[in-house]
Amino acid sequence: MQNPDIGAYVQRGRQAMMERRFDDARGIYQQILALDPAQPRAWLALSALAQNQGDFRESVRAVRSAVPAWKRSGSQQFITELSMRLLVLGEYREARDLISSADWSDPIVLRYSMGLVQYLGLAEAHQEALDLADHAISRAANPPSALLLARANALRYLGRMQEATETYERCIALDPLNAEAHWTLAHHSVSSAPGARLSRIRKAISHTQPSSEDAIYLQYALFKELDDADHVEEAWSALRAGSAMKRAGLRYADAAAAASFEKLRQVCDADFLREARPQREEGHLQHTPIFIVGLPRSGTTLLERMLGNHPGVTSAGELNDFPLQLAWEVNGFIGELPGPDALDAYRGLDYAAVGSGYLQRTGWRLRGTDFLVDKLPNNFINAGFIHKALPNARIICLRRNLADSCFSTFKHLFSGSAYPFSYDMVEMIAHYRRFQHLASHWQEAMPDAFLSVDYERLVDSTDEVLREVSAFCGLPEHAGLAAVEENTSPSATASSSQVRDKVHTRNVGSWLRYKAHLGELVDIA
């Protein structure tokens, strides 16, 4: 039975948080734990308070303490809050294990199953996500469309394409206004007849609040269906409408991005990368990381799937573990693109500790191999720090010609605030130029650890490029790397549906269909 004083303390803690009396709130939640250590909500509040003050390590320590407290509580309450906080702080294995070991028949778990399925997906536990979705659907008389959407996504990531298509259709039939389902289906599979899905998307748009998040999803869905039907003019109008709405809701300053890129080159100069490099110690490098980086939509997933066909390689997907390890060492919350102050703080880090911490973070993902592929495109920003921390790691940068790269990125809708430069063509081109400049810097500063691979060569001279990549990584040659259509491992990237196809060159020059609309891109292509 819960101590009757705890309820009063909880109310006082909430009030203090609302009034932004954070020191008082911390003391109150510590008092709660003194009364009853099995109070996960108190640890969760302490974790949030630490994050509010920019203390990354304390935020992580508190959420780690919440896990045994939650287990001792004997209740499934707070499972969603705890799982999400674990994911936000990079505790992926713990989040997966927490949800997988929960009582899936408990009403609380069933009530929040849609979110828990998504969280399992974020933890790369796609089979467990599907299992939970199926369990929850079987227990619901009328499963909500959001749960069906989560199930369809799990099927898609697992490569069960036809079942995913059928589940997306079932979701839309149940809720014709489910904008994310329309958008995901449009990018997942081509309709049986060109334009067959257009009328229902337009109807959904007519019933959706303009400039809302749903309206953005629907405009991008409309673009894809019109593009597939070869209605270029209408497709462009939909894309422009969707990108303008998305850009209006983002905080992004091109000048700030330019300053960060310039600061990166200053911090990660040849002396920084050469001096005080950590030495390889016995047992220090348990595995060799292969980082695949680059701009989004540049072929990073394709190369990852190819290397994943090698028996000596584990492909782990898009991991945030390296930036999270940097955050741990600097003890701060760092954005997607570190600002000048954060980059200054990176100068004095213990990079042997950064490297060791990263290996510890990722070692559990290995499946009996010596090489692990970490395919987070934005680790391109961290390439110098990766080399400083993990001198034996290999960094492969995918590059794509300017026009195809910019247009392919521009026409994709990313989740949340990721890649904010991609919704305005001028900003997109400026970012591409910064990318090229920094790639040249990395290549010059660490030629033995950084390899540039052109997407066009990868799809046109695949075997030759793969021999070069294998030699660079120290992998023995292996036949069949190019057979990505035979790779059955899960994929949860933006290209998760497309990478099930054989290697092709259809996407080279894809921007030309929209040449009349691309303005500055055409002038410099």
Side-chain angles (χ1 to χ4, degrees):
M1 182 178 295
Q2 179 171 291
N3 187 319
D5 292 335
I6 288 177
Y9 276 110
V10 169
Q11 291 299 323
R12 288 172 53 201
R14 288 175 178 166
Q15 187 66 30
M17 293 276 276
M18 290 175 58
E19 296 173 359
R20 303 183 66 81
R21 293 183 289 108
F22 298 130
D23 288 341
D24 289 345
R26 183 177 295 102
I28 292 167
Y29 285 113
Q30 289 170 343
Q31 287 177 301
I32 291 173
L33 291 171
L35 290 169
D36 181 5
Q39 284 290 326
R41 68 181 130 188
W43 285 115
L44 288 168
L46 290 172
S47 178
L49 284 164
Q51 180 172 348
N52 179 267
Q53 293 192 327
D55 191 333
F56 185 86
R57 294 178 190 170
E58 188 55 37
S59 188
V60 171
R61 291 184 184 116
V63 80
R64 286 175 179 170
S65 297
V67 174
W70 180 81
K71 291 178 179 178
R72 288 196 303 270
S73 73
S75 169
Q76 305 299 302
Q77 194 175 10
F78 306 113
I79 186 173
T80 53
E81 296 90 337
L82 178 52
S83 300
M84 175 49 77
R85 180 140 285 276
L86 286 167
L87 289 169
V88 165
L89 295 170
E91 303 293 297
Y92 303 110
R93 188 179 189 179
E94 291 75 10
R96 180 202 66 182
D97 293 347
L98 184 85
I99 301 171
S100 297
S101 63
D103 179 2
W104 288 3
S105 297
D106 188 281
I108 294 174
V109 175
L110 291 172
R111 185 182 313 137
Y112 298 109
S113 56
M114 184 272 293
L116 295 174
V117 170
Q118 291 180 320
Y119 299 163
L120 284 169
L122 291 172
E124 301 284 345
H126 304 296
Q127 185 58 56
E128 291 90 337
L130 179 60
D131 292 343
L132 176 55
D134 285 342
H135 174 80
I137 289 169
S138 71
R139 300 291 294 267
N142 297 295
S145 66
L147 182 56
L148 293 173
L149 176 60
R151 179 180 190 269
N153 287 336
L155 287 164
R156 177 190 179 201
Y157 300 153
L158 289 166
R160 293 165 61 173
M161 300 311 198
Q162 183 56 38
E163 292 174 86
T165 299
E166 293 167 358
T167 308
Y168 286 126
E169 290 287 2
R170 183 182 170 192
C171 174
I172 293 169
L174 180 64
D175 179 8
L177 299 183
N178 192 315
E180 189 174 350
H182 285 290
W183 171 75
T184 312
L185 177 60
H187 288 80
H188 169 68
S189 66
V190 177
S191 63
S192 55
R197 300 169 182 157
L198 289 172
S199 61
R200 68 185 187 185
I201 293 175
R202 286 180 171 131
K203 185 175 182 180
I205 290 173
S206 71
H207 289 84
T208 301
Q209 183 69 31
S211 298
S212 65
E213 185 176 6
D214 281 350
I216 296 171
Y217 273 115
L218 289 169
Q219 288 294 341
Y220 275 85
L222 183 62
F223 159 74
K224 184 62 169 64
E225 297 292 352
L226 287 165
D227 182 63
D228 288 343
D230 204 29
H231 299 325
V232 171
E233 298 297 323
E234 293 176 86
W236 177 253
S237 295
L239 178 59
R240 288 296 298 156
S243 62
M245 284 188 278
K246 179 71 174 183
R247 179 65 184 89
L250 294 173
R251 295 181 62 185
Y252 174 73
D254 190 74
S260 288
F261 270 70
E262 180 59 32
K263 186 73 172 184
L264 262 173
R265 286 192 294 274
Q266 294 173 7
V267 171
C268 295
D269 59 14
D271 290 339
F272 173 84
L273 294 172
R274 183 170 51 245
E275 292 173 357
R277 297 255 309 268
Q279 298 298 308
R280 178 170 182 168
E281 300 173 4
E282 192 65 30
H284 174 66
L285 289 177
Q286 298 93 351
H287 56 276
T288 300
I290 300 171
F291 292 87
I292 299 178
V293 303
L295 288 173
R297 314 296 292 164
S298 62
T300 54
T301 301
L302 178 62
L303 181 58
E304 176 207 20
R305 304 289 287 181
M306 290 173 173
L307 289 179
N309 281 332
H310 197 291
V313 172
T314 295
S315 183
E318 296 188 356
L319 306 181
N320 285 303
D321 289 283
F322 192 84
L324 285 166
Q325 189 60 36
L326 285 174
W328 176 270
E329 294 299 330
V330 80
N331 196 25
F333 288 82
I334 310 299
E336 186 176 280
L337 180 59
D341 291 344
L343 292 171
D344 274 332
Y346 285 0
R347 291 180 190 268
L349 295 182
D350 179 350
Y351 279 93
V354 174
S356 178
Y358 173 83
L359 293 171
Q360 291 174 17
R361 279 180 176 273
T362 57
W364 67 276
R365 297 179 182 274
L366 291 170
R367 296 187 291 272
T369 67
D370 294 325
F371 293 82
L372 179 136
V373 174
D374 181 338
K375 190 212 79 83
L376 182 68
N378 206 51
N379 264 332
F380 173 77
I381 300 296
N382 297 316
F385 307 117
I386 289 170
H387 184 51
K388 183 86 166 176
L390 297 160
N392 281 31
R394 290 295 173 259
I395 306 167
I396 306 170
C397 179
L398 266 293
R399 301 193 307 185
R400 196 174 177 185
N401 76 74
L402 183 150
D404 275 334
S405 180
C406 290
F407 181 62
S408 181
T409 306
F410 179 69
K411 70 181 182 179
H412 188 78
L413 176 61
F414 296 97
S415 62
S417 59
Y419 307 114
F421 54 82
S422 65
Y423 301 101
D424 179 280
M425 190 58 71
V426 173
E427 293 173 339
M428 177 73 244
I429 294 170
H431 189 86
Y432 181 92
R433 287 170 168 158
R434 286 192 291 269
F435 164 81
Q436 291 286 69
H437 193 189
L438 186 57
S440 297
H441 173 76
W442 293 143
Q443 190 73 68
E444 181 179 352
M446 44 187 184
D448 295 334
F450 189 88
L451 176 70
S452 292
V453 172
D454 290 333
Y455 170 79
E456 293 78 13
R457 278 194 69 221
L458 180 63
V459 297
D460 187 56
S461 304
T462 306
D463 291 337
E464 179 184 348
V465 172
L466 287 175
R467 283 193 294 271
E468 295 171 4
V469 169
S470 296
F472 171 74
C473 294
L475 289 168
E477 287 193 23
H478 179 75
L481 294 187
V484 289
E485 72 279 6
E486 297 178 11
N487 187 328
T488 59
S489 62
S491 176
T493 71
S495 306
S496 59
S497 298
Q498 290 72 38
V499 294
R500 309 288 176 178
D501 293 337
K502 293 182 178 180
V503 178
H504 59 80
T505 60
R506 293 192 301 271
N507 291 327
V508 177
S510 61
W511 69 280
L512 289 168
R513 294 173 64 231
Y514 290 87
K515 183 176 180 179
H517 301 284
L518 292 176
E520 185 177 348
L521 184 63
V522 176
D523 296 337
I524 62 179

